Amino acid sequence: MISILQISIPCPLRFNFDYLSDQSLTHWQAGLRVRVSFGSRELIGIVISCKEIDDTVDTSKLKPILECLDQQPIIPADLLSLTHWLSDYYHHPLGDCFQTVLPKKIRHGEALDLQMETVWKSSQKQLKIKIGKKQQQILDLLTENNDGVVQSELYLQLGQCRSSLISLEEKQLIEQFQQIKKPSITHSMSTPCQLNQEQQLAVNTVWDSYENFTPYLLQGITGSGKTEVYIELAEKAVKEGKQVLILIPEIGLTTQFVTRFRQRLAVNIVVLNSSISDGERKQSWLLAKEGLADVIIGTRSAVFTPLKDIGLIIIDEEHDASYKQQDGLRYHARNVALIRAKRAHIPIVLGSATPSLESLYHVEQKRFQRLELNKRATGATLPKIHLIDSAGPKADNGVSSILYKAIQKQLDADNQVLLFINRRGFAPVLMCHECNWQATCSHCDAKMIVHQGRNTLCCHHCGLIQRLPSQCPQCQAPNLNTYGAGTEQIELSLQRYFPDTPVLRIDRDSTQRVNAFADIVADIRKGGAKILVGTQMLAKGHDFHDVTLVGVLDADQGLLSADFRATENLAQLIIQVTGRSGRGEKPGEVFIQTSQPQHEFWRDLIKQGYNYSANKLLEERKLIAMPPAAYLTIIRAEDKQEQLAMQFLTDVHALLTQHQQEVIVMGPVPAIMEKRAGRFRAQLLLTCSQRKPIHQLLDHSINAISSLKLSRKVRWSIDIDPLDLM
Ligand code: ADP
Ligand code: ZN
Ligand code: ZN
């Protein structure tokens, strides 16, 4: 008998490919990896389905499978069906979905064996001979640790001691064996704190729905002890023999967060973030799959970790935009996690001090249950917020003199100060006063940003770098002026103003080196840096006890932006940065510099708080029929040739509106920044009060869209539930 297999191939085409196998059906299962020839290349595909055929079927055009790589499917059934769901929901080619779901080494066909490591163990023999000092140290350590000590750990504690180990082994005083390599378990545990009433209620409520799908929104003000709640819940689930998946946003947060878990739970905790190697990723993936990892902590893509026995999912800072992938498969990890929890019949906890309007809407619709933590766990009070009119007196470079005085006061008291400005570089504008020339990017509709330290102009959209001109390139006037200020300039001004105080800048430029961020955070905690100037990177989650003043220098961007989520994001940012101040014993204060201190946004947020502002925004969204009260999809297109993207989307528009009116199709319009990285961009917006009609429309039209002549020429993509419309 001959079988035909449907294989998902890593390519942008929206269908699977048929291949022949001379093995019977019983040999084949969905989720096996196979090597096949595809065009002129050999690729690794995934078996999706198979059927047996008889001799009457013409198979002359089909190619054979070259090799089957696995005995058992590499993807557990639940993950396989989740990948199908991804492909359906996000209208993204299945083969490409596997590229996101599977770690690189697995995709590239590596075997599924776990890495092993050497462990040394004392053989408990009486010591009758005299041994050297190093050997004695080893023996002492191994006698203390009955189960043995991993070789790399021995080297870490005692230095390289291979020859001593061998000689002890020859004397039969110690022996070695191999075990599966796992992350080490901390021995210096911290004592758990007694949960307060609110925390205990949260833990109990979630635990009551253990083994049921129930989504919870854990809304707790910054410092209210959400992390303690996660730890307690994780501990309970692990005790039941379950695995816990914890998602955290994609910034330097991991170390601090993981350390707290490691110090509290003596279990196998694996970490999946962007800084681990492909080898580590594969090992962690396998440990999770085999049920050998108890707690999995990771950023966005960790939501695809295979789990043998999942008991609980936690998403920290659920409002964070980094949970949405902005290219390729544009999934939202919160969304995917909800689907996983639902299918696995387990509770899912979404934690935040500033929940997304999506989650608040779900609470309102009774789809999520809200749990509240309203007090700071340490008893610290929330800081007072002051608005400063940016039109008022300035000391230097756009920093108000009121703010300078307030900073001085905190420095005199030996406290730390945190200043936010969401713009990297020295200045966003370079121009000539004589002829009005401005430094703009030749590939984008954007200005070049001045980076003085590196003596360059840099485009933050396409990465183009040029030397900083010393005179006007157009009229050769000798002086060019900069306008506006970024982190680099604020850092310099502050350093000039407070010459004896260490100033530290934290942005993407100053943290490029691996671990740079972790080092900086360590330095801040030690109190080495007194003034910290940074972008939003610093706003999230960090617990710096000596920070008593937080300043926000460019709060207006959020009030002026064309993006419909800008005010929501500004409210979240302000509350998050407010949470960075006064976390220790000393009370904190917050200064916000704005050109619109009278704006009702500020009055609402400061006087009435986040919930009030968020509810008001939610009512607005309902009125204008925008998410979460309605559903959006964007079809984007871009091409080097002007007008082609617009032309393609005009054709798509015609297709989409041919037979229906339920889904409103708006556009196409050029993107707000039409030209980026040398391509002209345009977009089409689909909206509907229901989710389903959009998906049905896309299901119906996708093949026709893919067959449009221009669809092979322009780059295009579908963004379901887009986060920004720009
Ligand atoms: P969040 O995650 O909500 O910002 P954390 O869990 O980081 O809050 O807690 C803030 C601080 O309060 C931490 O230093 C933590 O150790 C402490 N903390 C949390 N819960 C308690 C408690 N029940 N008793 C005493 N201190 C607590
Ligand atoms: Zn000029
Ligand atoms: Zn550019």
Short mmCIF file of all heavy atoms in Angstrom, two decimals, residues 555-610:
data_model
loop_
_atom_site.label_atom_id
_atom_site.label_comp_id
_atom_site.label_asym_id
_atom_site.label_seq_id
_atom_site.Cartn_x
_atom_site.Cartn_y
_atom_site.Cartn_z
N ALA A 555 5.36 63.95 28.57
CA ALA A 555 4.07 63.29 28.71
C ALA A 555 3.11 63.65 27.59
O ALA A 555 2.13 62.95 27.36
CB ALA A 555 3.46 63.63 30.06
N ASP A 556 3.37 64.73 26.87
CA ASP A 556 2.39 65.20 25.88
C ASP A 556 2.25 64.30 24.67
O ASP A 556 1.19 64.28 24.05
CB ASP A 556 2.76 66.60 25.41
CG ASP A 556 2.56 67.59 26.52
OD1 ASP A 556 1.74 67.30 27.41
OD2 ASP A 556 3.23 68.62 26.51
N GLN A 557 3.29 63.59 24.32
CA GLN A 557 3.23 62.73 23.13
C GLN A 557 1.96 61.91 23.10
O GLN A 557 1.31 61.79 22.07
CB GLN A 557 4.44 61.80 23.09
CG GLN A 557 5.69 62.48 22.57
CD GLN A 557 6.88 61.54 22.48
OE1 GLN A 557 6.74 60.33 22.58
NE2 GLN A 557 8.06 62.11 22.29
N GLY A 558 1.60 61.37 24.26
CA GLY A 558 0.42 60.52 24.34
C GLY A 558 -0.89 61.27 24.15
O GLY A 558 -1.88 60.70 23.72
N LEU A 559 -0.90 62.55 24.46
CA LEU A 559 -2.14 63.32 24.33
C LEU A 559 -2.35 63.82 22.91
O LEU A 559 -3.45 64.16 22.51
CB LEU A 559 -2.14 64.52 25.29
CG LEU A 559 -2.24 64.18 26.78
CD1 LEU A 559 -2.14 65.44 27.62
CD2 LEU A 559 -3.54 63.46 27.08
N LEU A 560 -1.26 63.86 22.15
CA LEU A 560 -1.34 64.44 20.81
C LEU A 560 -1.38 63.38 19.72
O LEU A 560 -1.67 63.67 18.56
CB LEU A 560 -0.13 65.36 20.56
CG LEU A 560 0.02 66.49 21.57
CD1 LEU A 560 1.34 67.23 21.37
CD2 LEU A 560 -1.15 67.46 21.46
N SER A 561 -1.08 62.14 20.07
CA SER A 561 -0.91 61.11 19.06
C SER A 561 -2.20 60.78 18.32
O SER A 561 -3.30 60.90 18.85
CB SER A 561 -0.37 59.85 19.72
OG SER A 561 -0.44 58.77 18.82
N ALA A 562 -2.04 60.31 17.09
CA ALA A 562 -3.19 59.93 16.28
C ALA A 562 -3.65 58.51 16.59
O ALA A 562 -4.70 58.08 16.16
CB ALA A 562 -2.82 60.02 14.80
N ASP A 563 -2.86 57.78 17.37
CA ASP A 563 -3.18 56.39 17.68
C ASP A 563 -4.31 56.33 18.71
O ASP A 563 -4.24 56.97 19.75
CB ASP A 563 -1.92 55.71 18.22
CG ASP A 563 -2.15 54.26 18.55
OD1 ASP A 563 -3.29 53.77 18.36
OD2 ASP A 563 -1.20 53.61 19.00
N PHE A 564 -5.33 55.53 18.43
CA PHE A 564 -6.49 55.52 19.33
C PHE A 564 -6.17 54.95 20.71
O PHE A 564 -6.89 55.17 21.66
CB PHE A 564 -7.70 54.81 18.71
CG PHE A 564 -7.64 53.31 18.76
CD1 PHE A 564 -8.36 52.61 19.71
CD2 PHE A 564 -6.89 52.60 17.85
CE1 PHE A 564 -8.32 51.22 19.77
CE2 PHE A 564 -6.85 51.21 17.89
CZ PHE A 564 -7.56 50.52 18.85
N ARG A 565 -5.05 54.21 20.82
CA ARG A 565 -4.70 53.69 22.13
C ARG A 565 -3.75 54.58 22.91
O ARG A 565 -3.34 54.25 24.03
CB ARG A 565 -4.04 52.32 21.99
CG ARG A 565 -5.03 51.21 21.74
CD ARG A 565 -4.30 49.87 21.71
NE ARG A 565 -4.87 49.02 20.70
CZ ARG A 565 -5.84 48.13 20.95
NH1 ARG A 565 -6.27 47.95 22.16
NH2 ARG A 565 -6.32 47.39 19.98
N ALA A 566 -3.37 55.71 22.33
CA ALA A 566 -2.31 56.52 22.94
C ALA A 566 -2.66 56.98 24.36
O ALA A 566 -1.82 56.92 25.25
CB ALA A 566 -1.99 57.72 22.06
N THR A 567 -3.91 57.41 24.58
CA THR A 567 -4.26 57.88 25.93
C THR A 567 -4.28 56.72 26.93
O THR A 567 -3.84 56.87 28.06
CB THR A 567 -5.63 58.59 25.97
OG1 THR A 567 -6.33 58.30 24.78
CG2 THR A 567 -5.47 60.07 26.11
N GLU A 568 -4.79 55.58 26.50
CA GLU A 568 -4.76 54.39 27.38
C GLU A 568 -3.30 54.10 27.78
O GLU A 568 -2.99 53.92 28.96
CB GLU A 568 -5.35 53.18 26.65
CG GLU A 568 -5.24 51.88 27.45
CD GLU A 568 -5.65 50.63 26.64
OE1 GLU A 568 -6.15 50.78 25.51
OE2 GLU A 568 -5.46 49.52 27.17
N ASN A 569 -2.42 54.09 26.77
CA ASN A 569 -1.02 53.78 27.06
C ASN A 569 -0.37 54.83 27.95
O ASN A 569 0.45 54.50 28.80
CB ASN A 569 -0.23 53.61 25.76
CG ASN A 569 -0.70 52.40 24.98
OD1 ASN A 569 -1.30 51.48 25.54
ND2 ASN A 569 -0.45 52.39 23.68
N LEU A 570 -0.75 56.09 27.75
CA LEU A 570 -0.18 57.15 28.59
C LEU A 570 -0.63 56.97 30.04
O LEU A 570 0.18 57.06 30.96
CB LEU A 570 -0.60 58.53 28.06
CG LEU A 570 -0.10 59.72 28.88
CD1 LEU A 570 1.43 59.77 28.91
CD2 LEU A 570 -0.63 61.04 28.31
N ALA A 571 -1.92 56.67 30.23
CA ALA A 571 -2.42 56.46 31.59
C ALA A 571 -1.67 55.30 32.25
O ALA A 571 -1.26 55.38 33.41
CB ALA A 571 -3.92 56.18 31.56
N GLN A 572 -1.46 54.23 31.48
CA GLN A 572 -0.74 53.07 32.03
C GLN A 572 0.69 53.45 32.40
O GLN A 572 1.19 53.13 33.48
CB GLN A 572 -0.75 51.92 31.01
CG GLN A 572 -2.13 51.28 30.90
CD GLN A 572 -2.33 50.45 29.65
OE1 GLN A 572 -1.57 50.56 28.69
NE2 GLN A 572 -3.37 49.63 29.65
N LEU A 573 1.35 54.17 31.48
CA LEU A 573 2.73 54.56 31.73
C LEU A 573 2.84 55.42 32.99
O LEU A 573 3.70 55.19 33.84
CB LEU A 573 3.29 55.32 30.52
CG LEU A 573 4.69 55.88 30.74
CD1 LEU A 573 5.71 54.74 30.76
CD2 LEU A 573 5.06 56.89 29.67
N ILE A 574 1.95 56.42 33.11
CA ILE A 574 2.04 57.33 34.25
C ILE A 574 1.84 56.56 35.56
O ILE A 574 2.59 56.72 36.52
CB ILE A 574 0.98 58.46 34.14
CG1 ILE A 574 1.26 59.33 32.91
CG2 ILE A 574 0.94 59.31 35.41
CD1 ILE A 574 2.54 60.12 32.93
N ILE A 575 0.86 55.66 35.58
CA ILE A 575 0.62 54.90 36.81
C ILE A 575 1.79 53.95 37.10
O ILE A 575 2.23 53.79 38.23
CB ILE A 575 -0.71 54.11 36.73
CG1 ILE A 575 -1.88 55.07 36.53
CG2 ILE A 575 -0.92 53.25 37.96
CD1 ILE A 575 -2.13 56.02 37.69
N GLN A 576 2.34 53.36 36.04
CA GLN A 576 3.48 52.46 36.24
C GLN A 576 4.68 53.22 36.78
O GLN A 576 5.34 52.77 37.70
CB GLN A 576 3.86 51.76 34.92
CG GLN A 576 2.83 50.76 34.40
CD GLN A 576 2.75 49.48 35.21
OE1 GLN A 576 3.69 49.12 35.91
NE2 GLN A 576 1.62 48.80 35.15
N VAL A 577 4.99 54.38 36.19
CA VAL A 577 6.17 55.11 36.68
C VAL A 577 5.91 55.65 38.08
O VAL A 577 6.82 55.70 38.91
CB VAL A 577 6.63 56.26 35.75
CG1 VAL A 577 6.90 55.77 34.36
CG2 VAL A 577 5.66 57.41 35.73
N THR A 578 4.66 55.99 38.35
CA THR A 578 4.33 56.44 39.69
C THR A 578 4.66 55.33 40.69
O THR A 578 5.15 55.59 41.78
CB THR A 578 2.83 56.79 39.78
OG1 THR A 578 2.55 57.76 38.79
CG2 THR A 578 2.46 57.34 41.12
N GLY A 579 4.43 54.11 40.25
CA GLY A 579 4.72 52.96 41.10
C GLY A 579 6.20 52.74 41.35
O GLY A 579 6.59 51.96 42.20
N ARG A 580 7.06 53.41 40.58
CA ARG A 580 8.51 53.27 40.78
C ARG A 580 8.98 54.14 41.93
O ARG A 580 10.13 54.06 42.33
CB ARG A 580 9.31 53.67 39.52
CG ARG A 580 9.06 52.85 38.28
CD ARG A 580 9.21 51.39 38.53
NE ARG A 580 7.95 50.74 38.25
CZ ARG A 580 7.44 49.73 38.93
NH1 ARG A 580 8.11 49.22 39.93
NH2 ARG A 580 6.30 49.22 38.63
N SER A 581 8.14 55.03 42.40
CA SER A 581 8.58 55.99 43.41
C SER A 581 8.07 55.60 44.78
O SER A 581 6.93 55.16 44.92
CB SER A 581 8.08 57.39 43.03
OG SER A 581 8.53 58.34 43.98
N GLY A 582 8.91 55.78 45.78
CA GLY A 582 8.47 55.57 47.16
C GLY A 582 8.09 54.15 47.48
O GLY A 582 7.13 53.89 48.17
N ARG A 583 8.87 53.17 46.97
CA ARG A 583 8.55 51.77 47.25
C ARG A 583 9.12 51.32 48.58
O ARG A 583 8.70 50.32 49.13
CB ARG A 583 9.06 50.88 46.12
CG ARG A 583 8.19 50.96 44.88
CD ARG A 583 8.74 50.13 43.77
NE ARG A 583 8.44 48.72 43.88
CZ ARG A 583 7.38 48.13 43.34
NH1 ARG A 583 6.52 48.85 42.66
NH2 ARG A 583 7.18 46.85 43.46
N GLY A 584 10.13 52.06 49.06
CA GLY A 584 10.74 51.67 50.33
C GLY A 584 10.05 52.38 51.49
O GLY A 584 8.85 52.64 51.45
N GLU A 585 10.86 52.70 52.50
CA GLU A 585 10.28 53.35 53.67
C GLU A 585 9.96 54.82 53.43
O GLU A 585 9.07 55.38 54.03
CB GLU A 585 11.24 53.23 54.86
CG GLU A 585 10.91 52.05 55.76
CD GLU A 585 12.01 51.00 55.75
OE1 GLU A 585 13.14 51.35 56.17
OE2 GLU A 585 11.75 49.87 55.32
N LYS A 586 10.77 55.44 52.52
CA LYS A 586 10.59 56.88 52.32
C LYS A 586 9.46 57.17 51.34
O LYS A 586 9.34 56.49 50.33
CB LYS A 586 11.88 57.48 51.78
CG LYS A 586 13.10 57.16 52.63
CD LYS A 586 14.37 57.56 51.90
CE LYS A 586 15.57 56.79 52.44
NZ LYS A 586 16.71 56.84 51.54
N PRO A 587 8.63 58.16 51.63
CA PRO A 587 7.54 58.49 50.71
C PRO A 587 8.07 59.06 49.40
O PRO A 587 9.15 59.65 49.37
CB PRO A 587 6.74 59.55 51.47
CG PRO A 587 7.70 60.13 52.45
CD PRO A 587 8.67 59.05 52.80
N GLY A 588 7.32 58.87 48.32
CA GLY A 588 7.80 59.32 47.03
C GLY A 588 6.95 60.43 46.44
O GLY A 588 5.87 60.72 46.92
N GLU A 589 7.49 61.07 45.40
CA GLU A 589 6.68 62.05 44.68
C GLU A 589 6.94 61.94 43.18
O GLU A 589 7.95 61.39 42.74
CB GLU A 589 6.93 63.47 45.18
CG GLU A 589 8.38 63.85 45.30
CD GLU A 589 8.56 65.23 45.93
OE1 GLU A 589 7.57 65.95 46.09
OE2 GLU A 589 9.71 65.57 46.24
N VAL A 590 5.96 62.44 42.41
CA VAL A 590 6.03 62.31 40.97
C VAL A 590 5.78 63.68 40.34
O VAL A 590 4.88 64.41 40.78
CB VAL A 590 4.95 61.33 40.47
CG1 VAL A 590 4.89 61.29 38.95
CG2 VAL A 590 5.23 59.92 41.01
N PHE A 591 6.61 64.03 39.35
CA PHE A 591 6.43 65.30 38.63
C PHE A 591 6.20 65.01 37.16
O PHE A 591 6.97 64.28 36.55
CB PHE A 591 7.67 66.18 38.80
CG PHE A 591 7.82 66.73 40.18
CD1 PHE A 591 8.43 65.97 41.17
CD2 PHE A 591 7.33 67.98 40.50
CE1 PHE A 591 8.56 66.46 42.46
CE2 PHE A 591 7.44 68.48 41.79
CZ PHE A 591 8.06 67.73 42.78
N ILE A 592 5.13 65.56 36.63
CA ILE A 592 4.84 65.36 35.22
C ILE A 592 4.87 66.70 34.52
O ILE A 592 4.14 67.63 34.88
CB ILE A 592 3.46 64.70 35.03
CG1 ILE A 592 3.47 63.32 35.67
CG2 ILE A 592 3.10 64.61 33.56
CD1 ILE A 592 2.11 62.72 35.83
N GLN A 593 5.77 66.80 33.53
CA GLN A 593 5.87 68.05 32.78
C GLN A 593 4.99 67.96 31.55
O GLN A 593 5.15 67.05 30.75
CB GLN A 593 7.33 68.22 32.38
CG GLN A 593 7.82 69.63 32.49
CD GLN A 593 9.30 69.72 32.23
OE1 GLN A 593 10.10 69.48 33.12
NE2 GLN A 593 9.65 70.06 31.01
N THR A 594 4.05 68.88 31.42
CA THR A 594 3.13 68.82 30.28
C THR A 594 2.78 70.22 29.80
O THR A 594 2.73 71.17 30.59
CB THR A 594 1.83 68.07 30.65
OG1 THR A 594 0.85 68.29 29.63
CG2 THR A 594 1.25 68.54 31.98
N SER A 595 2.52 70.34 28.49
CA SER A 595 2.10 71.64 27.96
C SER A 595 0.60 71.83 28.15
O SER A 595 0.07 72.88 27.85
CB SER A 595 2.47 71.74 26.48
OG SER A 595 1.78 70.73 25.77
N GLN A 596 -0.08 70.77 28.61
CA GLN A 596 -1.53 70.89 28.81
C GLN A 596 -1.95 70.50 30.21
O GLN A 596 -2.72 69.55 30.39
CB GLN A 596 -2.26 69.99 27.81
CG GLN A 596 -1.91 70.31 26.37
CD GLN A 596 -2.61 69.36 25.42
OE1 GLN A 596 -3.82 69.36 25.32
NE2 GLN A 596 -1.85 68.53 24.74
N PRO A 597 -1.44 71.22 31.21
CA PRO A 597 -1.78 70.82 32.59
C PRO A 597 -3.28 70.92 32.89
O PRO A 597 -3.73 70.31 33.84
CB PRO A 597 -0.98 71.82 33.45
CG PRO A 597 -0.65 72.95 32.56
CD PRO A 597 -0.60 72.43 31.17
N GLN A 598 -4.01 71.65 32.05
CA GLN A 598 -5.46 71.79 32.29
C GLN A 598 -6.25 70.61 31.70
O GLN A 598 -7.44 70.49 31.96
CB GLN A 598 -6.02 73.08 31.65
CG GLN A 598 -5.26 74.33 31.95
CD GLN A 598 -5.05 74.53 33.45
OE1 GLN A 598 -5.84 74.06 34.26
NE2 GLN A 598 -3.97 75.21 33.82
N HIS A 599 -5.63 69.80 30.90
CA HIS A 599 -6.33 68.71 30.20
C HIS A 599 -7.06 67.81 31.19
O HIS A 599 -6.52 67.45 32.22
CB HIS A 599 -5.30 67.89 29.41
CG HIS A 599 -5.91 67.09 28.29
ND1 HIS A 599 -6.78 66.06 28.50
CD2 HIS A 599 -5.76 67.18 26.95
CE1 HIS A 599 -7.14 65.53 27.34
NE2 HIS A 599 -6.53 66.21 26.38
N GLU A 600 -8.30 67.46 30.85
CA GLU A 600 -9.09 66.69 31.82
C GLU A 600 -8.53 65.29 32.04
O GLU A 600 -8.78 64.66 33.05
CB GLU A 600 -10.57 66.63 31.41
CG GLU A 600 -10.83 65.80 30.17
CD GLU A 600 -12.33 65.61 29.94
OE1 GLU A 600 -13.11 66.47 30.38
OE2 GLU A 600 -12.70 64.61 29.31
N PHE A 601 -7.73 64.84 31.07
CA PHE A 601 -7.08 63.55 31.24
C PHE A 601 -6.30 63.52 32.56
O PHE A 601 -6.36 62.55 33.32
CB PHE A 601 -6.13 63.30 30.06
CG PHE A 601 -5.21 62.12 30.26
CD1 PHE A 601 -5.65 60.84 29.98
CD2 PHE A 601 -3.91 62.30 30.74
CE1 PHE A 601 -4.81 59.75 30.16
CE2 PHE A 601 -3.07 61.21 30.92
CZ PHE A 601 -3.52 59.94 30.63
N TRP A 602 -5.56 64.61 32.83
CA TRP A 602 -4.73 64.65 34.05
C TRP A 602 -5.60 64.71 35.29
O TRP A 602 -5.32 64.03 36.28
CB TRP A 602 -3.79 65.86 34.02
CG TRP A 602 -2.78 65.79 32.92
CD1 TRP A 602 -2.64 66.65 31.88
CD2 TRP A 602 -1.78 64.79 32.75
NE1 TRP A 602 -1.61 66.26 31.07
CE2 TRP A 602 -1.06 65.10 31.58
CE3 TRP A 602 -1.41 63.65 33.47
CZ2 TRP A 602 -0.01 64.34 31.11
CZ3 TRP A 602 -0.36 62.88 33.00
CH2 TRP A 602 0.32 63.22 31.84
N ARG A 603 -6.63 65.54 35.21
CA ARG A 603 -7.51 65.68 36.37
C ARG A 603 -8.11 64.31 36.73
O ARG A 603 -8.06 63.86 37.87
CB ARG A 603 -8.61 66.69 36.05
CG ARG A 603 -9.29 67.27 37.28
CD ARG A 603 -10.43 68.19 36.86
NE ARG A 603 -11.36 67.50 35.98
CZ ARG A 603 -11.90 68.03 34.88
NH1 ARG A 603 -11.59 69.26 34.52
NH2 ARG A 603 -12.73 67.33 34.13
N ASP A 604 -8.62 63.61 35.71
CA ASP A 604 -9.22 62.30 35.96
C ASP A 604 -8.21 61.33 36.56
O ASP A 604 -8.49 60.68 37.56
CB ASP A 604 -9.72 61.69 34.63
CG ASP A 604 -10.92 62.45 34.09
OD1 ASP A 604 -11.50 63.24 34.85
OD2 ASP A 604 -11.26 62.23 32.91
N LEU A 605 -7.07 61.24 35.93
CA LEU A 605 -6.10 60.23 36.34
C LEU A 605 -5.57 60.51 37.74
O LEU A 605 -5.44 59.60 38.56
CB LEU A 605 -4.95 60.17 35.33
CG LEU A 605 -3.99 59.01 35.50
CD1 LEU A 605 -4.69 57.69 35.23
CD2 LEU A 605 -2.78 59.14 34.57
N ILE A 606 -5.26 61.76 38.02
CA ILE A 606 -4.64 62.09 39.30
C ILE A 606 -5.68 62.10 40.43
O ILE A 606 -5.45 61.55 41.50
CB ILE A 606 -3.91 63.44 39.21
CG1 ILE A 606 -2.74 63.30 38.22
CG2 ILE A 606 -3.40 63.88 40.58
CD1 ILE A 606 -2.09 64.61 37.85
N LYS A 607 -6.83 62.71 40.16
CA LYS A 607 -7.83 62.84 41.23
C LYS A 607 -8.62 61.54 41.40
O LYS A 607 -8.95 61.15 42.51
CB LYS A 607 -8.80 63.98 40.90
CG LYS A 607 -8.13 65.34 40.91
CD LYS A 607 -8.65 66.20 42.08
CE LYS A 607 -7.62 67.23 42.52
NZ LYS A 607 -7.25 68.18 41.45
N GLN A 608 -8.96 60.89 40.29
CA GLN A 608 -9.89 59.75 40.38
C GLN A 608 -9.23 58.39 40.22
O GLN A 608 -9.82 57.38 40.54
CB GLN A 608 -10.99 59.87 39.31
CG GLN A 608 -11.56 61.25 39.15
CD GLN A 608 -12.69 61.51 40.14
OE1 GLN A 608 -13.06 60.63 40.91
NE2 GLN A 608 -13.22 62.72 40.13
N GLY A 609 -8.03 58.38 39.66
CA GLY A 609 -7.31 57.12 39.57
C GLY A 609 -7.48 56.39 38.25
O GLY A 609 -8.24 56.81 37.37
N TYR A 610 -6.74 55.29 38.11
CA TYR A 610 -6.69 54.57 36.84
C TYR A 610 -8.04 54.00 36.42
O TYR A 610 -8.44 54.13 35.27
CB TYR A 610 -5.64 53.45 36.90
CG TYR A 610 -5.55 52.71 35.58
CD1 TYR A 610 -4.87 53.27 34.50
CD2 TYR A 610 -6.18 51.48 35.39
CE1 TYR A 610 -4.81 52.63 33.27
CE2 TYR A 610 -6.13 50.83 34.17
CZ TYR A 610 -5.44 51.40 33.12
OH TYR A 610 -5.40 50.77 31.91
#
